[in-house]
């Protein structure tokens, strides 16, 4: 069973959610994991791609969209289709409102909740489903300061 970390943000905006996703991606990358950011659609994946390029002036996280020629050669991929089958230890950062098929192939999964009503409703349902499936669900409530 996977460990599911839910990061609960006080903010309501997509931008805050993406900025935290970038910080989390950096942390995961520094720990030596590969990472797949699973998005709802290509538009969100492209927004996350832009956020990764500009979230810090002094850092670069090697990443690519799943339909890019570089996707197999970088440690961080962004996708919106079927989850890739990880070849090595890969973490999953799920930015999709639902739980994607194939999560059983991942031992570490992160979910980011903000205070936007649609996100709250979708992620509460995910939380319940993960618990029903027997996964370890760990909340991390983040504050403003």
């Amino acid at each position: 069973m996977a460990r599911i970390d839910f990061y609960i943000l006080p903010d309501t905006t997509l931008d805050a959610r993406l900025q935290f996703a970038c910080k989390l991606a950096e942390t995961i990358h520094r720990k030596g994991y590969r990472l797949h950011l699973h998005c709802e659609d290509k538009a969100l994946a492209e927004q996350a791609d832009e956020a990764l390029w500009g979230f810090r002036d002094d850092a670069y996280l090697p990443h690519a969209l799943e339909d890019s020629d570089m996707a197999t050669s970088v440690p961080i991929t962004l996708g919106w289709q079927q989850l890739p089958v990880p070849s090595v230890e890969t973490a999953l950062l799920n930015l999709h409102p639902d739980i994607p098929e194939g999560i059983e192939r991942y031992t570490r999964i992160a979910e980011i909740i903000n205070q936007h009503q649609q996100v709250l409703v979708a992620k509460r349902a995910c939380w319940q489903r993960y618990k029903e499936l027997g996964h370890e669900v760990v909340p991390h409530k983040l504050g403003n300061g």
Side-chain angles (χ1 to χ4, degrees), residues 36-106:
H36 181 73
L37 278 81
H38 186 65
C39 300
E40 185 172 5
D41 52 30
K42 187 172 184 174
L44 182 57
E46 289 171 343
Q47 283 180 284
D49 176 49
E50 284 297 315
L52 282 169
W53 278 109
F55 92 102
R56 282 198 28 207
D57 291 337
D58 62 342
Y60 169 68
L61 295 175
H63 67 280
L65 294 171
E66 70 182 0
D67 62 354
S68 163
D69 292 339
M70 293 178 17
T72 58
S73 63
V74 294
I76 301 171
T77 54
L78 299 98
W80 57 94
Q81 298 174 37
Q82 188 174 6
L83 286 181
V85 176
S87 57
V88 295
E89 188 73 24
T90 302
L92 173 65
L93 175 48
N94 187 29
L95 295 176
H96 194 286
D98 300 320
I99 299 172
E101 288 187 34
I103 61 159
E104 65 279 353
R105 297 186 295 252
Y106 295 81

Side-chain angles (χ1 to χ4, degrees), residues 25 116 124 132:
H116 188 278
R124 280 185 187 131
E132 288 168 5

Side-chain angles (χ1 to χ4, degrees), residues 105-125:
R105 297 186 295 252
Y106 295 81
T107 56
R108 294 296 298 264
I109 300 169
E111 297 270 3
I112 301 172
I113 302 174
N114 66 5
Q115 301 305 306
H116 188 278
Q117 192 60 33
Q118 286 178 311
V119 174
L120 284 171
V121 170
K123 292 304 162 184
R124 280 185 187 131

